Amino acid sequence: MIEIRDIEKKYEMGGETVHALDKVTLSIQDGEFVAIIGPSGSGKSTLMNIIGCLDVADSGTYILNGKPIEKYSERQLARIRNKNIGFIFQGFNLLSKLSALENVELPMIYQGVPAHERHKRAKEALEHVGLAGRIKHKPTELSGGQQQRCAIARALAAHPSLILADEPTGNLDKKTGKEILNLFLELHEQGNTIVLITHDPKVADWAERIVYIEDGKITSEGRGTRRYGTDELTIDEKHTYDAETQAEEVMPDGADAIL
């Protein structure tokens, strides 16, 4: 499904060249649940941006669903983002004036899905994540966990081939974060391909496969324990990107990615 070979990405910062990604090679198969983990400035967000077609590499090859896309135009990449990738972000990126149902429907409008079909798919997706009784509620009327479930439903409703989650528990407390991670496990068991970006080893441990990145290079791989709801896998009370991460790993606007 995903084949990345010798990907490089460089930035000029303060007169110096920073190798955000240094000849990274990575393969992800259909149906895998992969966590990419690294410290601040490791290159994990840059790698996520390239996997999600939010950015392009300076060199190397990126094959998605059997097609080389590293030379695609922005318009072609936008089409892939909209049709093939479901994004789930730390900040939820829900529109405050729209209901949960309308938020989930929105990306499908840009896909050209007919009104009746997108309404049906959005409702089914919200029911799937346990929000059947909240479809008319606006984001301000939902808890943090419910907002993230709504964001997951939005990703699922478009029937993407890849679910890409960036620190999805970052703004949640421990109990709610565990519920969201359990939901990811359920989605994986149903055959969804999931790539989760995190700095927290306890969150990464929920994945089937763990890829470690540091200084722009993949250093090793491991296996997660993938246990449902066990106390050994509790996540940090709260974990968000620190100021250093925000400065070093600039991410494009998530709302634009979703749409």
Side-chain angles (χ1 to χ4, degrees):
M1 175 176 188
I2 293 175
E3 185 74 29
I4 288 175
R5 301 172 190 158
D6 295 325
I7 287 291
E8 289 189 301
K9 186 67 178 181
K10 302 174 185 178
Y11 296 103
E12 297 296 329
M13 297 182 65
E16 296 184 1
T17 300
V18 177
H19 292 261
L21 295 176
D22 188 3
K23 293 190 178 300
V24 168
T25 295
L26 177 66
S27 296
I28 297 174
Q29 304 303 316
D30 283 339
E32 277 198 284
F33 181 5
V34 178
I36 298 175
I37 181 172
S40 170
S42 62
K44 62 183 182 296
S45 289
T46 302
L47 181 56
M48 187 206 74
N49 290 344
I50 291 173
I51 291 174
C53 300
L54 297 166
D55 199 0
V56 294
D58 295 327
S59 62
T61 302
Y62 180 15
I63 299 173
L64 178 64
N65 293 330
K67 297 180 180 180
I69 64 171
E70 68 271 5
K71 297 187 183 300
Y72 274 21
S73 67
E74 174 53 36
R75 186 175 195 138
Q76 289 172 308
L77 292 174
R79 190 177 300 114
I80 289 176
R81 289 196 301 267
N82 187 252
K83 292 185 177 295
N84 297 99
I85 304 173
F87 292 93
I88 302 167
F89 295 108
Q90 177 177 324
F92 316 138
N93 290 348
L94 301 174
L95 299 184
S96 60
K97 294 183 179 181
L98 300 182
S99 68
L101 185 68
E102 291 168 333
N103 266 286
V104 174
E105 283 188 88
L106 190 58
M108 291 184 284
I109 293 176
Y110 291 87
Q111 287 184 352
V113 177
H116 175 74
E117 175 65 15
R118 66 173 181 260
H119 183 84
K120 175 177 175 289
R121 282 162 57 173
K123 188 175 180 181
E124 288 175 348
L126 286 164
E127 290 173 350
H128 186 70
V129 300
L131 291 181
R134 296 287 188 273
I135 63 174
K136 294 184 179 180
H137 287 60
K138 294 183 178 179
T140 54
E141 300 171 317
L142 300 174
S143 68
Q146 289 171 336
Q147 289 185 59
Q148 190 59 291
R149 286 175 181 272
C150 184
I152 293 171
R154 178 181 57 198
L156 292 175
H159 296 170
S161 57
L162 170 66
I163 296 173
L164 191 56
D166 180 29
E167 299 279 2
T169 63
N171 285 339
L172 305 176
D173 59 52
K174 180 170 62 176
K175 178 178 180 294
T176 306
K178 185 184 292 186
E179 292 173 356
I180 294 300
L181 290 170
N182 266 314
L183 180 55
F184 277 116
L185 284 180
E186 293 171 14
L187 294 173
H188 175 238
E189 292 297 330
Q190 292 161 9
N192 291 283
T193 305
I194 302 171
V195 176
L196 183 152
I197 310 298
T198 184
H199 71 275
D200 188 339
K202 294 177 182 178
V203 172
D205 201 31
W206 288 65
E208 176 185 31
R209 174 181 163 208
I210 305 172
V211 176
Y212 300 88
I213 185 170
E214 190 169 359
D215 295 329
K217 298 180 179 181
I218 291 177
T219 57
S220 62
E221 292 195 17
R223 309 294 292 183
T225 60
R226 300 177 63 226
R227 299 174 191 162
Y228 283 78
T230 58
D231 290 338
E232 295 97 34
L233 296 177
T234 54
I235 61 173
D236 294 342
E237 290 293 337
K238 275 197 173 182
H239 51 274
T240 55
Y241 281 136
D242 56 25
E244 181 184 0
T245 305
Q246 294 178 25
E248 294 179 359
E249 299 187 21
V250 179
M251 166 144 179
D253 184 21
D256 290 341
I258 293 166
L259 302 181

